[in-house]
Amino acid sequence: MNLFKLVKESITVKQAAALYGLPITSTWITRCPFHEDHTPSMKLNDTYYYCFGCGATGDVIDLTARLFDLSSFQAARKIAQDFGFSPDKPPSGAIALPKPTTLSSDAQQEDIAYCIRVLHDYRDLLIRWQTEFVPLSAEEPLDDRFVEVLHMLAFVDVLIDCVTFGPASKKAAAAKRLLDSQLLPMVESRLNTLDRKEAA
Ligand SMILES: [Zn+2]
C-alpha cells in the first residue's frame, strides 16, 4: 500500500498534533506553531488543520512536514515510524503484535510503565464516561465529557499500543515522546482534578 495513503488513513491530524506536542484542548483549537499566535487560532480536524490567523492548512503529512521542516515523503515516513507501522506492516497488525524485546534500562522501563499506567487510568475514565454521559436523545446537547470520549478514546488506544507492544527501544522512544509532549501531563492533571473532586 502507498505510504502516503496509509499514513493519511491511519493517523489523524489530531493524533499527530498531540504526539508532536501541540497544546491540545477539548475544542481542538491550538496556538498556531507557524506564526506568532497569541490567541489560539488553529483548528485541528481529523483530516486537516486550518489557521484562522495565517491561513496555514493541510493534512497530517503537511503538518508534520512543516513542524519538522521535512519533505512530504520524509514526513510520511516519520509519522509511520513514530506511530510504529510501515507499508509492509499496516497499523492494526503491526502495533498489536508483541515482538521479542531487548531489555531497556531501568529508567526507560519506569517511563514506559508510568505512561501505561496513566493512559490506562485515563482510558478507564473515558470508558466510564462513554456510558455515563451518552446522550439519551438526538436533541440532547452533548456533554463535554462525552465529546472528550469521542475525540480521545481511539487515540488513547493507539498510544497504549505504542508503549505496550513492539521492541523495547521503540516503546522507550514512544514513552519519551509522550513525556516530552504536553499530552501526558494534561491527562494526569485531568485525572488528579477529578480524583480530588470525587474525594470531596
Ligand atoms: Zn497561523
Side-chain angles (χ1 to χ4, degrees), residues 32 34-35 51 53-56:
C32 174
F34 307 131
H35 81 276
C51 173
C54 69

Side-chain angles (χ1 to χ4, degrees), residues 30-37 41-42 50-57 66:
T30 184
R31 284 203 183 169
C32 174
F34 307 131
H35 81 276
E36 190 104 354
D37 196 7
S41 42
M42 179 181 277
Y50 179 74
C51 173
F52 291 91
C54 69
T57 185
R66 207 161 159 195

Side-chain angles (χ1 to χ4, degrees), residues 16 20 25 31 33 43 48 51 70 82 89 96 103 119-120 123 141 148 150 167 172-173 178 197:
Y20 295 142
T25 65
R31 284 203 183 169
K43 174 80 177 131
Y48 70 97
C51 173
L70 301 172
D82 291 347
K89 296 181 293 175
L103 282 183
L119 290 171
H120 272 287
R123 188 177 192 282
E148 189 167 332
L150 295 178
L178 268 174
K197 258 191 214 151

